[in-house]
Amino acid sequence: MKPYIISPSILSADFARLGAEVDSVLAAGADWVHVDVMDNHYVPNLTIGPLVVEALRRHAPRAFLDVHLMISPVDALVPAFAGAGANLISFHPEASAHVDRTLTLIREHGCQAGLVLNPATPLCHLDHVMERLDLILLMSVNPGFGGQSFIPGTLAKLREVRSRIGASGRAIRLQVDGGIKVDNIAEVARAGADTFVAGSAVFNSPDYAATIAAMRAALDAAA
């Protein structure tokens, strides 16, 4: 696996020029594009649906679309987002009646599968499903809105999950989302993360390439 992945979240992009924003952030050195899907039910915000993912796939056919479903119930929409062009689909265990079934559904539709844990979600949700996971996403803010501050308690949780991944012997990516910036990304990497969602830190900066380069430099120093 690539040592570190930077996946800017389009939640902080200019939606009036979304295709151009995706082009710009990929040209600036982003590895993936993180797509936050919110339903105003599981989380208190409403964002985008499969049609936007489909449009992004047509616009950027080679982009890796990292789709984070903050919707409940989740199973009914997994096929729609997979069919729209998602490469990876992650979801919250609270949004699924049967986590193992949802992970299987994602994989059956040709996508990598991820499980997302909120700050107060216990790690026991990882029990018995590690063999079905390509990614574990730890939220370092409470989901629903961009621009929030990193919750420090996530660092200890990252270390615990990194230990679980090591014990599993599987190549599972450990992603973190919320408040990731140039000045804390190294500390988060040292705690065990290898995949980083950065929304406002990238899209609110005047120079996407300079910001992503600064993040990579901080990650190189943390290695």
Side-chain angles (χ1 to χ4, degrees):
M1 296 195 302
K2 189 171 182 178
Y4 294 118
I5 292 290
I6 294 177
S7 183
S9 169
I10 61 170
L11 183 63
S12 297
D14 180 352
F15 272 46
R17 43 190 306 276
L18 192 53
E21 288 275 68
V22 167
D23 289 343
S24 295
V25 81
L26 290 172
D31 301 291
W32 296 357
V33 175
H34 190 79
V35 182
D36 285 310
V37 178
M38 305 181 187
D39 65 356
N40 197 36
H41 174 69
Y42 180 73
V43 292
N45 200 354
L46 184 64
T47 56
I48 65 175
L51 289 177
V52 175
V53 174
E54 185 178 9
L56 289 176
R57 172 53 67 215
R58 288 197 305 269
H59 181 82
R62 291 182 296 277
F64 188 98
L65 299 182
D66 166 24
V67 177
H68 173 193
L69 299 183
M70 288 168 273
I71 60 176
S72 178
V74 68
D75 286 11
L77 283 174
V78 163
F81 280 99
N87 296 98
L88 185 150
I89 295 175
S90 56
F91 69 97
H92 295 253
E94 300 92 341
S96 170
H98 304 282
V99 170
D100 181 81
R101 180 177 294 162
T102 304
L103 291 168
T104 300
L105 181 65
I106 292 170
R107 284 169 164 262
E108 285 176 348
H109 281 82
C111 296
Q112 294 182 37
L115 196 63
V116 189
L117 305 181
N118 290 330
T121 302
L123 298 185
C124 62
H125 287 284
L126 299 174
D127 295 345
H128 314 298
V129 298
M130 294 289 283
E131 71 280 1
R132 297 194 184 278
L133 294 175
D134 298 289
L135 176 142
I136 298 166
L137 167 53
L138 294 190
M139 295 300 298
S140 45
V141 298
N142 289 297
F145 299 94
Q148 299 184 66
S149 297
F150 182 88
I151 295 174
T154 308
L155 295 172
K157 202 170 186 182
L158 278 166
R159 287 188 281 268
E160 290 185 51
V161 175
R162 173 52 63 194
S163 177
R164 284 183 176 232
I165 291 172
S168 76
R170 293 181 51 79
I172 300 171
R173 286 212 164 269
L174 179 50
Q175 187 177 59
V176 64
D177 180 0
I180 297 299
K181 303 180 186 303
V182 172
D183 61 5
N184 69 2
I185 195 169
E187 183 180 22
V188 175
R190 285 192 292 268
D194 55 42
T195 306
F196 307 87
V197 178
S200 58
V202 173
F203 285 106
N204 291 354
S205 71
D207 187 331
Y208 299 170
T211 299
I212 291 173
M215 288 180 170
R216 293 206 188 280
L219 290 171
D220 289 343

